[in-house]
Protein backbone atom coordinates (compact mmCIF):
# COMPACT_ATOMS: atom_id res chain seq x y z
CA UNK A 1 0.00 0.00 0.00
CA UNK A 2 1.63 3.18 -1.19
CA UNK A 3 1.54 6.01 1.29
CA UNK A 4 2.64 8.55 -1.31
CA UNK A 5 0.99 8.46 -4.71
CA UNK A 6 2.07 10.34 -7.80
CA UNK A 7 0.37 11.01 -11.11
CA UNK A 8 0.80 10.92 -13.99
CA UNK A 9 3.57 8.35 -14.34
CA UNK A 10 4.82 10.18 -17.40
CA UNK A 11 4.20 13.58 -18.90
CA UNK A 12 5.26 15.25 -22.13
CA UNK A 13 5.06 19.01 -22.60
CA UNK A 14 6.36 21.48 -25.17
CA UNK A 15 9.08 23.93 -24.31
CA UNK A 16 7.53 26.98 -22.65
CA UNK A 17 4.46 25.15 -21.32
CA UNK A 18 3.64 24.49 -17.68
CA UNK A 19 4.06 20.93 -16.44
CA UNK A 20 1.86 19.92 -13.51
CA UNK A 21 2.84 16.94 -11.37
CA UNK A 22 0.45 15.62 -8.75
CA UNK A 23 1.06 13.95 -5.43
CA UNK A 24 -1.17 12.73 -2.61
CA UNK A 25 -0.50 11.09 0.72
CA UNK A 26 -2.34 9.16 3.40
CA UNK A 27 -0.49 9.64 6.66
CA UNK A 28 -1.71 12.78 8.42
CA UNK A 29 1.47 12.85 10.53
CA UNK A 30 3.53 13.76 7.46
CA UNK A 31 4.60 17.39 7.68
CA UNK A 32 7.56 17.73 5.34
CA UNK A 33 7.25 17.26 1.58
CA UNK A 34 10.33 17.49 -0.62
CA UNK A 35 10.47 16.98 -4.36
CA UNK A 36 13.57 15.32 -5.75
CA UNK A 37 14.74 15.56 -9.35
CA UNK A 38 16.62 12.69 -10.97
CA UNK A 39 18.44 12.70 -14.30
CA UNK A 40 19.31 9.40 -16.02
CA UNK A 41 22.37 7.74 -14.51
CA UNK A 42 22.39 10.01 -11.48
CA UNK A 43 21.04 9.94 -7.98
CA UNK A 44 18.06 12.08 -6.98
CA UNK A 45 18.74 15.61 -5.81
CA UNK A 46 16.54 17.91 -3.76
CA UNK A 47 14.67 20.36 -5.98
CA UNK A 48 12.25 22.14 -3.66
CA UNK A 49 10.39 21.36 -0.44
CA UNK A 50 7.44 22.56 1.62
CA UNK A 51 6.22 22.10 5.17
CA UNK A 52 2.60 21.50 6.07
CA UNK A 53 2.25 24.94 7.67
CA UNK A 54 2.54 26.53 4.21
CA UNK A 55 0.28 26.27 1.19
CA UNK A 56 2.72 27.46 -1.44
CA UNK A 57 6.45 27.48 -2.03
CA UNK A 58 8.20 29.05 -5.00
CA UNK A 59 11.73 28.69 -6.26
CA UNK A 60 12.24 30.22 -9.66
CA UNK A 61 10.17 28.30 -12.21
CA UNK A 62 9.23 25.61 -9.69
CA UNK A 63 6.22 26.02 -7.38
CA UNK A 64 4.64 23.65 -4.89
CA UNK A 65 0.96 24.03 -4.09
CA UNK A 66 -0.13 22.25 -0.92
CA UNK A 67 -3.64 21.38 0.29
CA UNK A 68 -3.46 19.94 3.79
CA UNK A 69 -7.18 19.24 4.08
CA UNK A 70 -7.22 17.10 0.96
CA UNK A 71 -3.71 15.68 1.57
CA UNK A 72 -2.65 16.71 -1.90
CA UNK A 73 0.17 18.70 -3.38
CA UNK A 74 1.38 19.54 -6.85
CA UNK A 75 4.58 20.69 -8.46
CA UNK A 76 4.25 23.26 -11.25
CA UNK A 77 7.13 23.77 -13.65
CA UNK A 78 6.47 26.96 -15.57
CA UNK A 79 8.18 27.86 -18.85
CA UNK A 80 9.42 24.27 -19.11
CA UNK A 81 12.86 23.80 -20.66
CA UNK A 82 14.38 20.70 -22.32
CA UNK A 83 16.87 20.62 -19.44
CA UNK A 84 13.94 19.98 -17.07
CA UNK A 85 13.46 16.54 -18.64
CA UNK A 86 13.92 14.22 -15.69
CA UNK A 87 12.05 12.04 -13.22
CA UNK A 88 10.48 13.88 -10.30
CA UNK A 89 9.81 12.18 -6.99
CA UNK A 90 7.39 13.45 -4.40
CA UNK A 91 8.33 12.39 -0.88
CA UNK A 92 6.99 12.82 2.63
CA UNK A 93 8.14 12.46 6.21
CA UNK A 94 7.25 13.38 9.74
CA UNK A 95 10.24 15.68 9.71
CA UNK A 96 12.53 15.58 12.67
CA UNK A 97 9.73 14.02 14.73
CA UNK A 98 10.36 10.60 13.27
CA UNK A 99 13.18 8.25 14.13
CA UNK A 100 15.71 8.58 11.36
CA UNK A 101 13.50 11.17 9.64
CA UNK A 102 12.65 8.50 7.07
CA UNK A 103 11.39 9.73 3.74
CA UNK A 104 8.64 7.85 1.92
CA UNK A 105 8.89 8.31 -1.83
CA UNK A 106 6.29 8.10 -4.55
CA UNK A 107 6.96 6.13 -7.74
CA UNK A 108 7.95 9.22 -9.67
CA UNK A 109 6.75 11.16 -12.71
CA UNK A 110 8.91 11.09 -15.81
CA UNK A 111 8.80 14.46 -17.54
CA UNK A 112 9.87 15.02 -21.13
CA UNK A 113 10.07 18.56 -22.45
CA UNK A 114 10.09 18.73 -26.26
CA UNK A 115 11.84 21.70 -27.88
CA UNK B 1 33.86 16.77 -5.53
CA UNK B 2 31.22 14.02 -5.19
CA UNK B 3 30.41 13.83 -1.51
CA UNK B 4 28.68 10.43 -1.61
CA UNK B 5 30.54 7.83 -3.63
CA UNK B 6 29.21 4.36 -4.37
CA UNK B 7 31.13 1.37 -5.63
CA UNK B 8 30.89 -0.47 -7.85
CA UNK B 9 28.80 1.49 -10.37
CA UNK B 10 27.45 -1.75 -11.73
CA UNK B 11 27.71 -5.40 -10.86
CA UNK B 12 26.52 -8.73 -12.18
CA UNK B 13 26.07 -11.42 -9.55
CA UNK B 14 24.96 -15.03 -9.60
CA UNK B 15 21.96 -16.29 -7.70
CA UNK B 16 22.96 -17.47 -4.26
CA UNK B 17 26.21 -15.54 -4.26
CA UNK B 18 27.28 -12.86 -1.79
CA UNK B 19 27.25 -9.23 -2.87
CA UNK B 20 28.62 -6.21 -1.05
CA UNK B 21 27.80 -2.69 -2.13
CA UNK B 22 29.90 0.09 -0.67
CA UNK B 23 29.24 3.74 0.09
CA UNK B 24 31.64 6.44 1.25
CA UNK B 25 30.67 9.98 2.22
CA UNK B 26 32.79 13.04 2.86
CA UNK B 27 29.90 15.21 4.07
CA UNK B 28 30.63 14.51 7.74
CA UNK B 29 26.98 13.51 8.08
CA UNK B 30 25.70 11.29 10.85
CA UNK B 31 22.87 9.60 8.94
CA UNK B 32 23.37 7.23 6.04
CA UNK B 33 20.71 5.35 4.10
CA UNK B 34 20.37 2.58 1.54
CA UNK B 35 17.47 2.74 -0.93
CA UNK B 36 16.59 0.54 -3.87
CA UNK B 37 14.92 1.84 -6.98
CA UNK B 38 12.66 -0.24 -9.17
CA UNK B 39 10.35 0.79 -11.95
CA UNK B 40 6.88 1.15 -10.53
CA UNK B 41 8.07 1.32 -6.93
CA UNK B 42 10.13 4.45 -6.74
CA UNK B 43 12.68 4.51 -3.94
CA UNK B 44 12.28 2.20 -0.97
CA UNK B 45 14.32 2.30 2.22
CA UNK B 46 16.28 -0.84 3.08
CA UNK B 47 18.49 0.09 6.04
CA UNK B 48 19.80 3.23 7.64
CA UNK B 49 22.28 4.25 10.31
CA UNK B 50 22.74 7.30 12.49
CA UNK B 51 26.03 6.36 14.12
CA UNK B 52 28.98 4.08 13.47
CA UNK B 53 28.57 0.45 14.52
CA UNK B 54 24.79 0.74 14.57
CA UNK B 55 22.21 0.09 11.86
CA UNK B 56 18.41 0.18 11.72
CA UNK B 57 15.92 -1.62 9.53
CA UNK B 58 14.02 0.34 6.95
CA UNK B 59 10.84 -0.62 5.17
CA UNK B 60 12.15 -3.57 3.13
CA UNK B 61 15.10 -5.09 5.06
CA UNK B 62 14.48 -8.77 4.29
CA UNK B 63 17.39 -10.35 2.43
CA UNK B 64 19.76 -7.48 3.23
CA UNK B 65 22.27 -6.69 5.95
CA UNK B 66 24.02 -3.39 6.55
CA UNK B 67 27.30 -2.45 8.15
CA UNK B 68 28.52 0.97 9.34
CA UNK B 69 32.15 0.51 10.44
CA UNK B 70 32.84 4.26 10.51
CA UNK B 71 30.99 7.55 10.05
CA UNK B 72 32.18 7.72 6.44
CA UNK B 73 31.39 4.18 5.29
CA UNK B 74 28.16 2.24 4.97
CA UNK B 75 27.85 -1.12 3.23
CA UNK B 76 24.89 -3.13 2.02
CA UNK B 77 25.33 -6.89 2.04
CA UNK B 78 23.31 -9.47 0.17
CA UNK B 79 24.33 -12.81 1.71
CA UNK B 80 22.38 -14.91 -0.79
CA UNK B 81 21.55 -12.83 -3.84
CA UNK B 82 18.25 -13.55 -5.56
CA UNK B 83 16.74 -12.57 -8.89
CA UNK B 84 14.28 -10.27 -7.11
CA UNK B 85 17.16 -8.15 -5.83
CA UNK B 86 18.01 -6.94 -9.32
CA UNK B 87 17.63 -3.16 -9.00
CA UNK B 88 19.49 0.12 -8.75
CA UNK B 89 20.74 0.82 -5.23
CA UNK B 90 21.30 4.30 -3.88
CA UNK B 91 23.19 5.40 -0.83
CA UNK B 92 22.43 8.75 0.78
CA UNK B 93 23.64 10.82 3.70
CA UNK B 94 21.98 13.45 5.87
CA UNK B 95 23.22 15.73 8.57
CA UNK B 96 21.72 16.09 12.02
CA UNK B 97 20.32 19.48 12.92
CA UNK B 98 20.81 22.92 11.45
CA UNK B 99 19.78 24.21 8.06
CA UNK B 100 18.82 21.63 5.44
CA UNK B 101 18.90 18.89 8.09
CA UNK B 102 16.19 16.96 6.26
CA UNK B 103 17.92 16.95 2.86
CA UNK B 104 19.21 13.64 1.56
CA UNK B 105 22.39 13.72 -0.51
CA UNK B 106 22.47 10.74 -2.86
CA UNK B 107 25.28 8.90 -4.58
CA UNK B 108 25.11 8.01 -8.26
CA UNK B 109 23.82 4.51 -7.63
CA UNK B 110 24.92 0.92 -8.20
CA UNK B 111 23.11 -1.09 -10.85
CA UNK B 112 22.93 -4.69 -9.63
CA UNK B 113 21.89 -7.52 -11.94
CA UNK B 114 21.41 -10.96 -10.42
CA UNK B 115 21.43 -13.82 -12.92
Amino acid sequence: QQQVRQSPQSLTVWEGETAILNCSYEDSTFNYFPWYQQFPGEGPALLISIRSVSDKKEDGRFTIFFNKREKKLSLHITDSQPGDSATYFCAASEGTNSAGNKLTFGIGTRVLVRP
Amino acid sequence: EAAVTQSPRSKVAVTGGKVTLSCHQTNNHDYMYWYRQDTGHGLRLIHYSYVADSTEKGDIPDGYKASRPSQENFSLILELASLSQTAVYFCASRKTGGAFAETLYFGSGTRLTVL
Side-chain angles (χ1 to χ4, degrees):
Chain A
Q1 181 183 1
Q2 275 199 326
Q3 293 194 54
V4 177
R5 291 189 172 87
Q6 288 188 249
S7 65
Q9 289 194 39
S10 65
L11 176 64
T12 299
V13 297
W14 293 103
E15 184 175 355
E17 291 184 334
T18 296
I20 300 175
L21 290 65
N22 300 303
C23 180
S24 64
Y25 63 98
E26 297 180 6
D27 193 335
S28 57
T29 63
F30 288 153
N31 58 30
Y32 171 68
F33 304 89
W35 287 81
Y36 279 77
Q37 180 187 53
Q38 184 183 30
F39 295 107
E42 299 181 8
L46 178 67
L47 176 66
I48 185 172
S49 64
I50 193 168
R51 299 193 185 277
S52 58
V53 294
S54 301
D55 56 15
K56 182 181 177 181
K57 177 78 172 290
E58 262 185 280
D59 186 356
R61 296 183 294 106
F62 300 91
T63 302
I64 300 174
F65 294 92
F66 180 71
N67 185 322
K68 187 174 182 177
R69 183 179 60 83
E70 295 187 7
K71 296 182 184 175
K72 292 181 178 180
L73 57 159
S74 60
L75 175 68
H76 291 224
I77 307 174
T78 57
D79 187 25
S80 296
Q81 301 297 309
D84 296 331
S85 297
T87 299
Y88 293 81
F89 291 98
C90 174
S93 80
E94 297 176 28
T96 53
N97 293 330
S98 69
N101 187 29
K102 295 183 292 180
L103 275 175
T104 299
F105 285 84
I107 64 173
T109 294
R110 181 175 292 183
V111 175
L112 176 63
V113 181
R114 294 194 180 278
Chain B
E1 171 188 296
V4 180
T5 306
Q6 294 183 234
S7 60
R9 283 302 307 270
S10 67
K11 183 174 180 64
V12 179
V14 295
T15 304
K18 182 177 180 178
V19 177
T20 299
L21 307 182
S22 300
C23 179
H24 178 80
Q25 58 111 349
T26 58
N27 292 325
N28 197 33
H29 289 170
D30 290 324
Y31 281 90
M32 295 187 76
Y33 302 81
W34 276 108
Y35 283 87
R36 66 175 280 174
Q37 183 174 29
D38 304 90
T39 302
H41 288 281
L43 291 150
R44 293 182 290 174
L45 181 63
I46 307 171
H47 285 289
Y48 67 99
S49 167
Y50 56 87
V51 67
D53 296 323
S54 177
T55 63
E56 303 292 332
K57 294 181 179 179
D59 299 320
I60 54 164
D62 293 345
Y64 302 94
K65 288 173 54 178
S67 173
R68 182 90 180 271
S70 64
Q71 186 194 38
E72 297 81 15
N73 296 294
F74 192 35
S75 298
L76 185 68
I77 303 153
L78 291 66
E79 295 279 4
L80 295 170
S82 67
L83 295 174
S84 65
Q85 292 176 314
T86 293
V88 180
Y89 292 85
F90 287 98
C91 176
S93 73
R94 179 178 73 83
K95 68 178 182 178
T96 309
F100 307 106
E102 289 151 312
T103 301
L104 293 181
Y105 296 87
F106 284 88
S108 297
T110 294
R111 182 175 296 276
L112 175 65
T113 303
V114 182
L115 302 176

